[in-house]
Every structure is written in structure tokens, then in C-alpha cells.
Amino acid sequence: VWTKQTLGEKVYVEIAVSPTDPENTVFIKDAVMQAVMTELGSRLGTKSESSSQMYVRLQSVGFTPMQRDSQGYVVAYRTTVSLGFQVHDGNGDVHAFSTVGRYDFVIEPSSVISETKRFESIKEGSAKAIDQAVLQLAATQMKRSHRQSFQGE
């Protein structure tokens, strides 16, 4: 509720394509669009018809070995996705922040990360980073409302 009050009914979303990692940008775009509709309860709109704009940039994606089997093969990884946000809300304020999402997954011993696992882990890590962005925006709105109630506005 807080976030929808801040952003409004329609949100314009722009995802900056990473020149060094364009493939992962596509995964992130899907996750952001889904989050705007489900997590924020807003609809996507054009820049001119939306009361808010959200600009998202992929800062980094990394895979870290988390567990090895008895022969030393990696059997579990953690994907870490870092996203940068700049949100122009319906109140005319600009919020700039970064979030991180992590997702753990397993693979078969002595195998490489498949494209399917890679896609899934980046999408899930992105979704968690976006969840953090939603919380950040909600906290900002709650602080504003709290301040205004004390100031008698």
C-alpha cells in the first residue's frame, strides 16, 4: 500500500542494457516488470502517462561456490545480483539506491552451470534485489508519512 501510494497507478520502467552483460539484462527486465505489477500493484505505462519513473541498472552478477562434495567438486553455488535504482516518485522526489539479491542452487558434481540454472538463478536473485527495492521505497513513504503526521500536515 505504501509503495503504491508513492508510485501511483502507472509506472514507467526503463532498464539500462549493460554493454558488458546484455544477456543478463534481459533476465532482469522480466523480473522488474513482473515485480512492478505483482509486488507494487501498479501497471506499466509510458513515460508521459505515468506518475512515476523507475530506472534500473545491472551493477553486477556473480557466482560463488558454496559447497563441495567429498572429491572437491562444487555442488552448490550462490548467485549474487546487484541492481542500481533511480526512482522518480509521484511526489516529485528522486530516490537513488542499490540493492542486492542472492539465490542459492545446486548442480550435479563435476558439471558446469547449465544455461537453465544460470537463467533461473539470475531471475531469482534479481527478484530478491527487487524485493529489497520495494522495501526501501515503502520505508521511505512510511518515514514521510510519519514526519508529516508530526508536523501536522
Side-chain angles (χ1 to χ4, degrees):
V1 174
W2 294 105
T3 308
K4 189 168 184 177
Q5 289 174 354
T6 301
L7 297 178
E9 290 294 322
K10 288 190 178 180
V11 178
Y12 169 75
V13 177
E14 184 174 302
I15 312 296
V17 177
S18 169
T20 58
D21 202 356
E23 188 176 272
N24 288 334
T25 304
V26 173
F27 301 150
I28 289 157
K29 182 176 183 177
D30 291 343
V32 170
M33 300 296 189
Q34 183 70 27
V36 166
M37 293 182 290
T38 59
E39 302 287 330
L40 302 177
S42 296
R43 294 182 307 160
L44 298 171
T46 64
K47 193 172 187 177
S48 62
E49 70 184 5
S50 299
S51 56
S52 299
Q53 295 88 41
M54 180 182 295
Y55 301 92
V56 184
R57 180 174 47 90
L58 172 63
Q59 293 176 320
S60 65
V61 173
F63 296 90
T64 306
M66 297 300 291
Q67 184 178 355
R68 296 181 183 273
D69 68 6
S70 58
Q71 280 95 30
Y73 291 109
V74 176
V75 294
Y77 281 93
R78 171 171 288 163
T79 303
T80 303
V81 178
S82 178
L83 301 177
F85 290 85
Q86 186 177 61
V87 180
H88 301 252
D89 70 22
N91 299 313
D93 295 328
V94 178
H95 312 276
F97 53 90
S98 295
T99 62
V100 174
R102 294 175 182 84
Y103 180 73
D104 297 341
F105 64 98
V106 297
I107 63 170
E108 294 298 318
S110 75
S111 66
V112 296
I113 301 171
S114 69
E115 282 298 310
T116 303
K117 286 279 190 185
R118 185 174 171 274
F119 169 77
E120 178 187 327
S121 70
I122 292 170
K123 187 175 178 183
E124 292 297 324
S126 297
K128 289 181 179 187
I130 293 161
D131 288 347
Q132 292 298 316
V134 170
L135 292 173
Q136 176 92 16
L137 290 168
T140 299
Q141 179 60 32
M142 286 174 45
K143 286 178 190 176
R144 172 183 287 141
S145 294
H146 190 69
R147 251 191 337 263
Q148 288 174 347
S149 67
F150 278 113
Q151 294 172 353
E153 292 181 18

